[in-house]
């Protein structure tokens, strides 16, 4: 009986220590912008255009201006229309100094009704700095709501976690 108890305890210990690993196929994939390319856009249906500014932080200061924390940023581009497809013409990232870091879109792309596209900036990518900026240019059909742009920044280190969000502001 004693051996059975020891075997049961060992079995519980071994099975409770199983580490779950994510399969690469289970992880979200980056947007394939070529598959999102807007081929034939009827300009006569597109009546509203604009530009939206979104602040994005790759780093934030901690304790003093000499110490920073790196952040992972998820930039969400959301079509809030239930019926209309909208189009993004640019998604450009600028750094703290206003210098262009990366053009994420090289041609107009579409977002179906209620669809969200995301850009993820890795925690190790500090190119935006403490005052990174996205500028999005977009076009919508007449009377369609303008897109919504949001950023979620997060970092975890040890037992501490840090997260916050920003929302885009129409600038044109």
């Amino acid at each position: 009986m004693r051996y059975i108890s020891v075997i049961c305890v060992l079995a519980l210990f071994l099975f409770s220590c199983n580490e779950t690993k994510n399969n690469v196929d289970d992880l979200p994939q980056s947007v394939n912008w070529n598959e999102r390319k807007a081929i034939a856009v009827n300009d006569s249906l597109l009546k509203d255009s604009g530009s939206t500014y979104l602040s994005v932080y790759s780093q934030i200061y901690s304790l003093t201006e000499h110490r920073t924390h790196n952040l992972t940023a998820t930039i969400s581009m959301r079509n809030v229309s239930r019926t209309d497809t909208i189009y993004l013409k640019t998604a450009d990232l600028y750094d703290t100094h206003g210098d262009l870091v990366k053009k994420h879109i090289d041609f107009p792309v579409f977002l179906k009704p209620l669809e969200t596209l995301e850009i993820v900036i890795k925690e190790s990518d500090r190119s935006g700095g403490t005052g990174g900026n996205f500028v999005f240019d977009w076009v919508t059909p007449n009377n369609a709501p303008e897109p919504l742009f949001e950023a979620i920044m997060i970092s975890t280190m040890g037992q501490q976690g840090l997260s916050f969000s920003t929302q885009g502001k129409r600038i044109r």
Side-chain angles (χ1 to χ4, degrees):
M1 207 54 161
R2 183 173 175 206
Y3 293 113
I4 294 175
S5 296
V6 171
I7 291 173
C8 288
V9 169
L10 286 175
L12 284 172
F13 178 73
L14 290 174
F15 288 116
S16 67
C17 292
N18 258 353
E19 183 178 326
T20 305
K21 293 186 179 179
N22 287 336
N23 185 345
V24 173
D25 295 334
D26 295 337
L27 298 175
Q29 300 299 311
S30 298
V31 174
N32 182 340
W33 297 110
N34 288 322
E35 290 179 0
R36 313 291 316 166
K37 189 172 189 176
I39 306 293
V41 178
N42 186 344
D43 288 336
S44 66
L45 297 176
L46 302 176
K47 301 292 184 192
D48 192 14
S49 64
S51 295
T52 300
Y53 168 85
L54 178 69
S55 56
V56 177
Y57 301 87
S58 298
Q59 298 176 303
I60 57 170
Y61 294 109
S62 176
L63 300 177
T64 74
E65 71 274 12
H66 303 292
R67 182 174 177 198
T68 58
H69 269 301
N70 294 348
L71 302 168
T72 299
T74 302
I75 292 76
S76 294
M77 301 160 284
R78 299 173 180 269
N79 180 357
V80 298
S81 173
R82 292 182 182 187
T83 58
D84 295 307
T85 296
I86 64 168
Y87 302 90
L88 296 179
K89 294 166 50 177
T90 64
D92 297 340
L93 174 62
Y94 296 85
D95 67 11
T96 304
H97 308 289
D99 296 326
L100 181 64
V101 172
K102 183 172 184 180
K103 295 178 85 49
H104 285 272
I105 299 174
D106 293 323
F107 41 76
V109 297
F110 66 90
L111 276 86
K112 299 180 298 188
L114 297 176
E115 184 173 27
T116 301
L117 296 179
E118 296 172 332
I119 296 171
V120 177
I121 300 174
K122 297 179 191 178
E123 188 170 340
S124 60
D125 182 350
R126 300 181 310 216
S127 60
T130 57
N133 312 283
F134 260 96
V135 176
F136 303 93
D137 293 316
W138 47 267
V139 183
T140 64
N142 198 22
N143 296 323
E146 64 185 63
L148 175 63
F149 300 95
E150 297 176 308
I152 305 291
M153 282 70 59
I154 186 168
S155 177
T156 55
M157 184 172 287
Q159 293 181 352
Q160 292 184 328
L162 171 70
S163 66
F164 60 97
S165 64
T166 59
Q167 282 198 343
K169 176 181 169 96
R170 185 173 180 158
I171 56 176
R172 182 182 64 79

